[in-house]
Amino acid sequence: GNNNNISHTNNNNNENEDYISLDKLKRGNIIGEGEFGSVYKGTYVNLKGEATSVAIKTLREDQVNQNNIKTFLVEVQVMQKLDHECIVRLIGICKGPPLQMVQEYLALGSILQYMDANKEKIRPNHEFKMWAAQIAIGMNYLEQQRFVHRDLAARNILLATPEQAKISDFGLSRMVGMEDFYRASTGGKWPLKWYAPESYNYAQFSHKSDVWSFGVTIWEMFSFGAHPWGDMKGAEAIKLIDSGQRLEQPNACPKNIYDVMLQCWDFDMNRRPTFSELVKIFQSEPEHDY
Ligand code: ACK
């Protein structure tokens, strides 16, 4: 039960409380490619003998190295500590080989995919505001657990139903220290266009820098999945941001929601809203205001 070390050997084929045994897991079709691995749809037979749909994340063979395994295990260890309806749930890990992370299956995939397939059906003030509220609720919970996400983006928001969005992808997540921030030691491969100035300038990550990324995420939503800063390089985009430029108001975005985005993108992190304020903003604004 209390063991995070997944490298110890376990020759017992039966299910134990730490690992999912290979025979309880069936891998189906591939549903997506991440940077280091693939995601499959699959079936997991739980302890009661019931078959449930799951998403199985693996490391691609050509990507199995110490660094990627570390990222993979960090994601597992963060997700093991989280328990919230607005956050994708980890079911367990299977040592394989190959090493597999088993998560609850969110049938509709990411909001990017959903928006692409349902352009005509979506009412921005309904779906987008509801998803924004759910993301803020999940992020507020994450803040209470003292984690920074560091990769909040539309690609990492998944839908269980059109009315239930959840936050996923905790590979970059870290616990914050006493000072409420995490200082990264190396750059790594960062999603610069989603990052706050203090993050790309000083490698400093906090709940406030997650709030900045939240602003970019809702911008992507109200832009129906457009790419922030188009195909500009991240290094170019951050120069514009440093000089005071911000992403433009999307056509489908009401003025008062764009104002919230601009507040999330305040250079001074202390002037950005908190996630608990964002929850209130997106839960309380009546639709007919727009
Ligand atoms: O947009 P998508 O279908 O949603 O494509 C990506 C792909 O895998 C690579 O990340 C999908 N994905 C990731 N985790 C899950 C999950 N728990 N349930 C369903 N789809 C998932 C994601």
Side-chain angles (χ1 to χ4, degrees), residues 30-35 37-41 53-57 75 79 88-89 102-114 154-159 168-169:
I30 202 159
I31 49 180
E33 291 283 353
E35 209 178 317
S38 310
V39 184
Y40 297 81
K41 185 175 181 186
S53 286
V54 292
I56 302 172
K57 280 181 97 165
E75 177 160 23
M79 288 184 89
V88 174
R89 289 181 201 277
V102 183
Q103 302 179 353
E104 68 169 314
Y105 180 68
L106 280 86
L108 302 185
S110 75
I111 59 173
L112 288 179
Q113 184 168 306
Y114 182 84
R155 62 182 171 275
N156 291 331
I157 305 301
L158 305 184
L159 292 172
S168 77
D169 242 287

Side-chain angles (χ1 to χ4, degrees), residues 96-152:
L99 183 59
Q100 298 170 85
M101 189 189 315
V102 183
Q103 302 179 353
E104 68 169 314
Y105 180 68
L106 280 86
L108 302 185
S110 75
I111 59 173
L112 288 179
Q113 184 168 306
Y114 182 84
M115 289 190 296
D116 205 39
N118 297 278
K119 280 197 182 76
E120 274 76 45
K121 237 171 48 186
I122 289 174
R123 301 145 292 168
N125 280 333
H126 180 69
E127 277 90 340
F128 296 164
K129 278 182 51 210
M130 185 171 50
W131 297 345
Q134 290 163 343
I135 298 165
I137 290 167
M139 290 303 296
N140 189 45
Y141 168 81
L142 202 64
E143 176 172 350
Q144 288 165 353
Q145 307 304 307
R146 301 188 60 75
F147 285 109
V148 285
H149 187 287
R150 299 177 67 226
D151 200 9
L152 188 56

